[in-house]
Amino acid sequence: MKTIMMMKKTIAQHWVARRCLSTGPVAAAYELKVDAGEVRRDDAQVALAAKFDALHESLALLPPVPVRTDDPTESSATSSSPLLLARSMASAQSFLRKKLHLWFFGTPPRGMYIYGPVGVGKSFLMDLFYASVTVPDDDSCCNNNSHKHTKMTKRRVHFHEFMLDVHHRIFIYKQKHPRGDALPIIAQQLAQEAQLLCFDEFQVTDIADAMILKRLFSLLLDWNVVMVATSNRAPDALYKGGINRSLFLPFIDMLKDTSDIISMEDSKKDYRLESRADGQSYFWSNKDDHGDNSINRDMQAQLEEIFGGTASGTEAEIIPVLFGRTVQVARLNERCAWFDFSELCYQPLGAADYISLCRRFPVIIMERVPQLDANHLNEARRFVTLIDACYESRTRLVLAAQVPLDELFVDFEAQVESSDGDEELIVNEKGGNSSSFATTMIRTKEGKYYEWSATGRIGVSLAQFSSANDLAFSFRRAASRLVEMGGKEWGR
């Protein structure tokens, strides 16, 4: 009997090895997870793994990013060089790089843009692909030794965080060179740091980001950077209804020209919802917070147990944030911060603040979370951004809400409204992006000025900018992620 079992095991191992030999590293890694019972085989995921394998193979022919020996900061736009001449030289260098690349190496590998509903495996497959590419000094290998890993510098990042990084680099550059052109320098820096860029949750909701993307991505392509992105939006739906969207349309055309657009719209199964393992990270009670009832007492006791110990003194801690900003935490200990919903979502905070909190605390508790509907659009948008930051950093987010998780987000679709019949507003000044400290001022045709910021608007309807529809789309992703983040192993 023991001999038969050993023979079966040997046959199974040979069968897996043979199948891995006939596939690329991504498909092989996927099949190993299927065999281990970690995932269930899905035809759309199998097809996507094959596409990733094709890209993986083409990366081997990608030339390295050239390393400049001069200081790009000094040579780009100094006080002694006219800005127009500097830009012309940069354009000529870009054209020459393209021609030399085509002459010696042929057409560069196309990137990938994968879109579809939440929880269908987009990020999961992209992460398997990302793991199949090793950095030059990494001697690690795949579980299956028959596959050679492509060696190149790489970076996997949430798109919110990437744009935050870009805006911070612009901020730093402009402090030294107010009249300089920052984007060519930043593109070169990014290219030398990572020749493969993998973006999760690609979305564009801010005019400042929209105006930067086309030129930045064009420059990155000139530096032989390959880009892969996952999104819930089809390319043609990016920044839909945004102010001055006509200026963003060339980016969509460039995206289609340089990337394979892969739809997973037919995949309706949200695999995150299959396992509702209760990790005691979501509590709810519809009773009055100040009411004396056993449910609220039990909930508070469980929150205090998760918090662990007592708060560290009476003084608040000031957490540094990019752009010279800070965020204050009043109730905390070494490993956990405890907030009221109003502290993080009624204040003008954004991704930069939430990312800094996640880097400081492995556990974040938030209580008095209301049901989020059309009456809480600004607050809901900040809350979704917080969920994304916690998800990317694997921070444990513990919530005490007024409704069950299934009822937390109220789905809706907003209609674009305009008092003067013109849906397009005119940009007056460009400020920061959804993650930065600045705002963008816009004005109507009547000459009235309003504040535009992804951390809040003053005196203007969200529906006018179609952000309400983007938020409704984000609700489904956030709800799905909260289920996954409620697992017993999440953030432990």
Side-chain angles (χ1 to χ4, degrees):
M1 185 69 178
K2 186 176 180 180
T3 304
I4 294 175
M5 293 295 293
M6 291 180 63
M7 289 178 62
K8 286 183 177 180
K9 184 177 180 180
T10 303
I11 292 171
Q13 290 174 342
H14 282 301
W15 181 77
V16 170
R18 284 187 61 189
R19 185 170 61 189
C20 291
L21 283 170
S22 62
T23 61
V26 182
Y30 179 79
E31 292 297 342
L32 288 172
K33 288 187 175 293
V34 171
D35 293 337
E38 296 179 29
V39 299
R40 189 199 315 164
R41 183 177 286 103
D42 181 282
D43 290 341
Q45 293 178 2
V46 171
L48 181 57
K51 293 181 182 296
F52 272 123
D53 280 332
L55 175 58
H56 181 276
E57 185 176 355
S58 67
L59 291 180
L61 303 176
L62 191 67
V65 174
V67 178
R68 290 181 57 166
T69 56
D70 60 320
D71 184 353
T73 304
E74 297 298 327
S75 61
S76 63
T78 61
S79 57
S80 60
S81 302
L83 184 60
L84 183 61
L85 177 60
R87 286 182 174 173
S88 298
M89 291 178 62
S91 178
Q93 291 173 350
S94 171
F95 177 80
L96 183 59
R97 278 198 304 270
K98 284 183 179 179
K99 290 300 181 183
L100 288 174
H101 181 275
L102 289 172
W103 179 267
F104 286 108
F105 301 101
T107 305
R110 293 171 61 83
M112 289 174 61
Y113 183 94
I114 309 132
Y115 71 96
V118 299
V120 298
K122 303 183 299 295
S123 300
F124 168 63
L125 267 298
M126 184 179 73
D127 288 343
L128 289 183
F129 164 73
Y130 184 80
S132 73
V133 179
T134 60
V135 295
D137 59 349
D138 186 357
D139 294 328
S140 63
C141 60
C142 178
N143 292 334
N144 171 14
N145 292 329
S146 64
H147 295 294
K148 294 181 179 179
H149 279 211
T150 298
K151 290 182 178 290
M152 60 191 305
T153 53
K154 61 180 182 176
R155 180 183 181 188
R156 192 266 194 205
V157 63
H158 190 279
F159 191 68
H160 261 321
E161 189 171 353
F162 175 77
M163 290 309 301
L164 172 63
D165 179 34
V166 170
H167 281 277
H168 186 244
R169 292 176 192 242
I170 294 174
F171 175 75
I172 297 299
Y173 180 86
K174 288 294 186 179
Q175 286 185 319
K176 296 181 179 179
H177 307 278
R179 299 183 60 196
D181 187 4
L183 285 185
I185 309 304
I186 293 171
Q188 180 187 330
Q189 292 171 349
L190 293 170
Q192 291 179 344
E193 292 167 8
Q195 200 170 5
L196 171 66
L197 281 175
C198 292
F199 301 115
D200 196 28
E201 303 299 345
F202 193 102
Q203 58 181 328
V204 184
T205 57
D206 188 271
I207 181 61
D209 291 351
M211 296 301 97
I212 286 174
L213 279 175
K214 180 182 183 298
R215 186 156 178 254
L216 176 63
F217 275 47
S218 179
L219 290 166
L220 289 173
L221 290 171
D222 290 347
W223 285 104
N224 305 328
V225 174
V226 176
M227 287 169 282
V228 176
T230 69
S231 179
N232 297 133
R233 292 287 192 184
D236 289 328
L238 288 171
Y239 197 52
K240 191 173 182 179
I243 53 178
N244 286 2
R245 187 174 186 262
S246 58
L247 299 178
F248 179 73
L249 295 180
F251 170 77
I252 296 177
D253 293 335
M254 183 187 73
L255 184 64
K256 293 177 179 178
D257 289 340
T258 59
S259 301
D260 291 330
I261 310 300
I262 301 167
S263 171
M264 296 187 74
E265 296 256 283
D266 294 335
S267 302
K268 303 299 182 183
K269 186 70 174 179
D270 184 348
Y271 287 100
R272 292 194 188 112
L273 302 182
E274 284 197 342
S275 175
R276 288 179 172 269
D278 186 3
Q280 289 299 295
S281 291
Y282 190 93
F283 305 88
W284 75 277
S285 170
N286 57 8
K287 302 295 182 183
D288 189 327
D289 287 335
H290 303 290
D292 184 17
N293 60 80
S294 60
I295 296 178
N296 280 334
R297 286 198 301 271
D298 290 344
M299 188 169 69
Q300 284 296 315
Q302 292 181 80
L303 292 179
E304 289 173 2
E305 182 179 352
I306 293 171
F307 183 71
T310 58
S312 58
T314 57
E315 292 187 3
E317 181 173 334
I318 306 300
I319 308 297
V321 183
L322 292 179
F323 306 102
R325 299 172 56 248
T326 59
V327 61
Q328 181 172 295
V329 184
R331 187 176 182 182
L332 73 149
N333 55 37
E334 186 57 34
R335 57 177 288 277
C336 182
W338 192 328
F339 298 95
D340 189 277
F341 180 83
S342 61
E343 292 180 88
L344 291 184
C345 297
Y346 277 90
Q347 306 301 320
L349 304 179
D353 306 281
Y354 303 140
I355 290 170
S356 294
L357 289 174
C358 289
R359 287 173 177 168
R360 167 64 180 84
F361 300 102
V363 181
I364 293 176
I365 298 175
M366 178 187 286
E367 60 181 334
R368 296 187 180 88
V369 180
Q371 187 176 52
L372 299 167
D373 54 19
N375 296 319
H376 298 87
L377 293 181
N378 285 340
E379 296 80 13
R381 194 151 34 82
R382 297 186 188 108
F383 183 58
V384 167
T385 302
L386 171 64
I387 292 172
D388 286 343
C390 291
Y391 186 86
E392 286 299 310
S393 63
R394 293 196 67 83
T395 298
R396 185 184 180 191
L397 178 62
V398 180
L399 302 176
Q402 298 170 1
V403 294
L405 177 55
D406 292 342
E407 300 175 15
L408 181 60
F409 297 101
V410 177
D411 207 0
F412 63 91
E413 292 294 335
Q415 300 296 320
V416 177
E417 300 171 355
S418 178
S419 58
D420 60 3
D422 185 358
E423 295 176 0
E424 179 110 354
L425 296 179
I426 304 166
V427 175
N428 181 54
E429 295 178 8
K430 297 175 185 176
N433 77 325
S434 58
S435 316
S436 76
F437 67 100
T439 60
T440 296
M441 299 303 296
I442 56 96
R443 64 182 173 85
T444 66
K445 294 177 69 174
E446 298 173 346
K448 293 182 179 179
Y449 289 87
Y450 298 109
E451 177 187 12
W452 160 269
S453 169
T455 57
R457 285 114 169 111
I458 297 176
V460 63
S461 169
L462 275 170
Q464 286 184 301
F465 305 100
S466 79
S467 290
N469 282 330
D470 284 327
L471 182 60
F473 204 91
S474 300
F475 278 178
R476 293 187 281 277
R477 183 185 75 242
S480 175
R481 285 187 161 181
L482 283 178
V483 171
E484 183 181 357
M485 294 163 72
K488 293 182 178 179
E489 301 302 320
W490 184 272
R492 275 34 170 208

